[in-house]
Amino acid sequence: MMKAKYINPFTDFGFKKIFGEEASKPLLIDFLKSLLPESNIVDLTFKDKDQMGRTEEDRKAIYDIYCENNLGEKIIVELQKAKQNYFKDRTVYYSTFPIQEQAERGEWNYKLKYVYCVGILDFKFEEKVTNGEGEVIHTVQLKDQNNKVFYEKLKFVYLEMPHFVKSETDLANRLDKWLYFIKHLEDFQSIPEVFKDEVFIQAFEKAEIAKYSEAERHDYEQSLKVFRDNKAVYEYAVNTAFDEGKVEGKLEGKLEGKLERSMEVAKSAKQMGLSTADIIKLTGLSESEINKL
């Protein structure tokens, strides 16, 4: 098998290298403008995601990217590599922190800035199918009983990457190009003609493994190992649970909310030597639940 020329963007290292560094800001802006055109992004400021929350327990809710645009609107971007229990609950919980931090001391009229929560999902989030194809983009807002938006300043956008199946010749817009880039980056050996513009050329340069220092290549290899281990553990646990009859019905759509499945994943992950932090992100279980296994 030919050795990869570019990094896997679904690894923690790869995602941060392409979108989460100061030098990567033009790439993140271009991606978010294609996904959230209504946000009018001109510039972004990375915020300290480790300082979110008022208590030590709250601060454990760490996102991959937390930034603020030129209008003061808050944007969370989270890369989720495997399905876990209470995933929807977790994303709603995350959205509360950029809301709470807007509180002002003294007299305050409670006027809030927009909050966007973007989830890039490397798994099938929903089984809903439209026109024979799974939906890639899920946009969620608070609505009333008449299906009218009740509060327009909070939006969740989930990108269900396994359902993105367009070929290079089918790419219709900027967002299509970004989704194609994210999904297939690790497979490219050269820059496809469709990406021959300044922003994407910069993205490919950021992603080229040969340009990294020895320390960066080591960090990437470690991140890639964790990514592959997590994938293997998840698939093993799902298949084991299915074979033993612990999960009934269709696999997809039936697993979410199954504590038993998460316990199986966590047990397998511990046996493979994954860290507690990685197991928490993989399964959604708490540290105390994992320590009891």
Side-chain angles (χ1 to χ4, degrees), residues 22-262:
E22 197 66 29
S24 305
K25 209 184 287 184
L27 312 181
L28 181 62
I29 290 174
D30 195 274
F31 169 65
L32 290 176
K33 284 175 69 174
S34 71
L35 182 65
L36 307 169
E38 74 276 19
S39 64
N40 297 314
I41 298 172
V42 175
D43 193 17
L44 287 174
T45 301
F46 288 114
K47 296 179 68 66
D48 187 355
K49 57 184 183 292
D50 293 340
Q51 298 303 313
M52 293 299 293
R54 299 179 179 180
T55 68
E56 187 63 31
E57 188 65 27
D58 286 343
R59 294 188 189 105
K60 293 180 181 178
I62 304 301
Y63 341 108
D64 292 310
I65 294 173
Y66 177 41
C67 55
E68 181 177 295
N69 71 9
N70 47 290
L71 300 176
E73 298 170 342
K74 320 296 181 180
I75 305 172
I76 294 169
V77 184
E78 177 77 0
L79 179 70
Q80 189 63 36
K81 295 178 281 291
K83 189 179 293 185
Q84 62 178 229
N85 280 349
Y86 311 117
F87 174 71
K88 295 176 185 177
D89 301 64
R90 190 167 77 105
T91 56
V92 172
Y93 178 66
Y94 275 12
S95 72
T96 65
F97 294 105
I99 293 173
Q100 291 179 62
E101 77 161 7
Q102 297 183 54
E104 299 178 6
R105 294 181 180 275
E107 293 293 326
W108 177 46
N109 63 6
Y110 291 92
K111 184 178 181 180
L112 297 170
K113 300 286 188 179
Y114 279 73
V115 173
Y116 300 95
C117 297
V118 177
I120 302 175
L121 314 181
D122 191 24
F123 58 88
K124 293 181 180 180
F125 180 43
E126 298 283 1
E127 271 301 288
K128 182 179 178 182
V129 173
T130 303
N131 297 327
E133 295 183 358
E135 292 182 319
V136 177
I137 303 173
H138 300 263
T139 302
V140 181
Q141 287 185 280
L142 293 173
K143 295 185 177 182
D144 64 18
Q145 70 274 19
N146 298 313
N147 203 34
K148 293 182 179 180
V149 175
F150 169 73
Y151 184 71
E152 73 279 3
K153 294 182 183 180
L154 178 61
K155 178 181 285 189
F156 300 88
V157 182
Y158 303 103
L159 300 174
E160 196 175 350
M161 296 304 293
H163 281 318
F164 183 78
V165 295
K166 288 186 177 182
S167 65
E168 183 179 334
T169 57
D170 295 327
L171 306 181
N173 51 47
R174 194 70 175 178
L175 181 57
D176 278 354
K177 289 183 180 182
W178 273 115
L179 297 183
Y180 189 79
F181 172 86
I182 292 170
K183 185 164 184 176
H184 297 288
L185 176 60
E186 191 181 22
D187 302 324
F188 295 135
Q189 286 298 314
S190 61
I191 304 177
E193 192 63 34
V194 70
F195 293 123
K196 295 295 179 67
D197 68 56
E198 183 178 348
V199 171
F200 279 113
I201 288 175
Q202 183 182 350
F204 276 96
E205 289 176 351
K206 293 280 294 180
E208 190 171 350
I209 299 171
K211 294 185 177 181
Y212 297 161
S213 66
E214 185 176 344
E216 286 178 316
R217 286 197 297 271
H218 176 268
D219 290 344
Y220 172 60
E221 290 298 328
Q222 290 298 110
S223 184
L224 185 61
K225 181 181 183 301
V226 170
F227 170 78
R228 288 171 174 168
D229 285 349
N230 286 350
K231 277 271 192 184
V233 168
Y234 176 75
E235 290 170 3
Y236 168 79
V238 167
N239 291 334
T240 300
F242 182 78
D243 291 342
E244 294 178 358
K246 294 176 181 175
V247 178
E248 297 178 357
K250 291 183 179 179
L251 207 53
E252 297 296 338
K254 296 287 186 179
L255 293 176
E256 187 174 354
K258 298 286 186 179
L259 180 59
E260 186 176 2
R261 192 244 349 168
S262 288

Side-chain angles (χ1 to χ4, degrees), residues 262-274:
S262 288
M263 292 295 187
E264 291 292 329
V265 172
K267 286 178 184 177
S268 299
K270 289 188 75 172
Q271 292 171 359
M272 293 182 69
L274 269 68

